[in-house]
Amino acid sequence: MTGLGHSSSVELPFSDYLIFADESGDHGLASFEASYPVFVLVLVLVKKDAYVGSLVPAIQALKLDYFGHDQVILHERDIRRQSPPFGFLRTNAELRSGFLDRINAVVDAAEFEIISAVIHKDRLAQRYASPWNPYDIAILFCMERTMERLMELGRAGRLQHVVFERRGGPEDANLELTFRRIASNVGSWGLKRVDFSGCQWEPEPRLRRSEA
């Protein structure tokens, strides 16, 4: 791995990519909103050189310009609702437009790949008497596609970290169990069979918004 300032001649086993996971919607099947009956899981694959060299500095600069510090979490729901610390978006249309344009410009310039899964929970529940958990289906699908992409990028044998947002004790434990079962080829229960042993997979919890 090159480009991250290692002074040692020993090559570390880390992948030179980071993967971030995020979700939209509730993965439960007991009930769901008719207006949003889907669960979405997205994995963002970004090269570390691009992450530390351009993406993080651009986001930090945006935060410093608009908030005076870089501890703000750019959460889409809070931005859309213009709730604190984004209340200033309500007061000035020109400022709001400039802020949103700046975010769009950062994303547009960023180098990353997206692998996603969208589960229609209503269709899933109607089709199967005992359907699998939408989160389990989504993470298996995303990991399958990600594994194939990492092999295309020549990342075989590397330690690949996947950063998840913490959701709570029991949910985090269930997610880690599912993730590790898939990564060890125990949880590949779909029709497709992907050998995940080509990479070393490690889930990493990201701080909750209240902890960041």
Side-chain angles (χ1 to χ4, degrees):
M1 183 171 61
T2 61
L4 293 179
H6 295 301
S7 59
S8 173
S9 60
V10 177
E11 188 174 7
L12 298 176
F14 305 129
S15 170
D16 48 2
Y17 284 84
L18 280 173
I19 297 175
F20 295 91
D22 206 353
E23 63 194 71
S24 177
D26 180 10
H27 60 83
L29 286 174
S31 62
F32 44 82
E33 297 181 19
S35 61
Y36 197 73
V38 297
F39 173 76
V40 182
L41 182 67
V42 176
L43 299 189
V44 178
L45 182 65
V46 56
K47 198 166 186 178
K48 291 177 180 177
D49 284 344
Y51 181 73
V52 301
S54 58
L55 181 56
V56 170
I59 292 177
Q60 285 183 317
L62 181 150
K63 292 179 179 181
L64 292 173
D65 287 346
Y66 282 92
F67 303 96
H69 60 85
D70 63 354
Q71 299 305 300
V72 175
I73 304 299
L74 300 176
H75 195 267
E76 182 272 339
R77 182 177 62 183
D78 294 339
I79 296 173
R80 175 167 43 84
R81 295 181 178 180
Q82 300 175 8
S83 54
F86 304 97
F88 71 92
L89 298 177
R90 301 177 182 176
T91 63
N92 188 309
E94 185 177 354
L95 185 64
R96 178 172 63 252
S97 178
F99 177 74
L100 296 177
D101 287 346
R102 180 81 172 271
I103 291 179
N104 289 335
V106 170
V107 174
D108 186 58
E111 300 176 38
F112 60 86
E113 298 182 40
I114 289 178
I115 295 172
S116 63
V118 180
I119 307 298
H120 288 265
K121 298 190 295 181
D122 51 346
R123 299 178 189 175
L124 181 66
Q126 292 169 5
R127 185 170 181 178
Y128 299 99
S130 300
W132 291 314
N133 184 293
Y135 203 114
D136 294 350
I137 299 173
I139 194 170
L140 174 61
F141 174 83
C142 287
M143 286 182 67
E144 286 175 346
R145 293 299 180 89
T146 301
M147 183 68 198
E148 292 172 353
R149 182 59 181 143
L150 290 172
M151 294 301 98
E152 291 173 357
L153 293 168
R155 299 301 91 197
R158 295 288 185 170
L159 177 57
Q160 180 62 64
H161 294 93
V162 182
V163 183
F164 292 89
E165 184 174 7
R166 289 180 179 174
R167 300 176 299 159
E171 288 183 314
D172 291 344
N174 289 335
L175 168 60
E176 181 173 355
L177 177 61
T178 299
F179 181 91
R180 292 192 182 280
R181 284 174 59 85
I182 293 173
S184 61
N185 290 328
V186 175
S188 186
W189 28 256
L191 295 176
K192 193 173 185 178
R193 288 292 184 268
V194 174
D195 182 7
F196 291 98
S197 64
C199 286
Q200 304 175 58
W201 298 85
E202 186 63 32
E204 290 291 336
R206 183 170 65 223
L207 292 178
R208 296 187 187 96
R209 284 188 293 148
S210 60
E211 299 173 326

